[in-house]
Amino acid sequence: MVRESVHGVPKTIWTYAYEIVPPQPEIRMAAITTLLDREHQDAQREERTWVGRIVLGQHITHILVVSDSPDQLRPVNARLEAEFKALKLVVSLTAPMAVVDDRKPAPPAPKD
């Protein structure tokens, strides 16, 4: 699993997504983009990992979240859900998953 070190303490990174059908235009997602940016800034100040990005697709809009916690009952989730309700969006939420580091180690350097 990908681990990030904060003050020498490793932590697992988690990801989950909100899925919105039908897909939404970027302008309609402006308030949500602002909310995601603010939460990311707050997390940085508090030395936490939390970032959310909107991915606009042809058939679905995703909000991808990467966090240092699998907890989906945080205040940011409540704020997002309130915004979804205000916009009358149909949204589903995926289960959190630990991010797996599938990178292979670099091969050894050739010997002369």
Side-chain angles (χ1 to χ4, degrees):
M1 294 193 202
V2 174
R3 295 188 184 270
E4 202 174 87
S5 180
V6 174
H7 301 297
V9 178
K11 60 183 177 178
T12 301
I13 301 300
W14 298 83
T15 187
Y16 59 90
Y18 290 93
E19 299 174 336
I20 305 166
V21 177
Q24 300 298 306
E26 188 173 352
I27 190 72
R28 191 151 191 251
M29 302 296 287
I32 292 172
T33 299
T34 300
L35 193 153
L36 297 174
D37 291 344
R38 284 187 189 144
E39 180 62 22
H40 178 69
Q41 291 169 358
D42 290 348
Q44 284 182 313
R45 276 192 297 277
E46 297 169 8
E47 296 183 345
R48 293 185 293 114
T49 299
W50 196 98
V51 65
R53 294 285 184 260
I54 296 174
V55 179
L56 302 172
Q58 187 174 17
H59 302 287
I60 193 169
T61 296
H62 296 278
I63 299 175
L64 304 176
V65 176
V66 176
S67 177
D68 56 13
S69 170
D71 184 7
Q72 294 176 321
L73 298 176
R74 292 177 143 178
V76 64
N77 300 88
R79 289 191 297 274
L80 280 168
E81 290 169 16
E83 196 62 43
F84 298 149
K85 188 175 181 178
L87 292 171
K88 297 181 180 166
L89 298 176
V90 176
V91 179
S92 61
L93 178 61
T94 67
M97 296 177 60
V99 178
V100 176
D101 185 359
D102 61 356
R103 295 174 291 173
K104 295 179 183 173
K111 296 181 182 180
D112 292 328

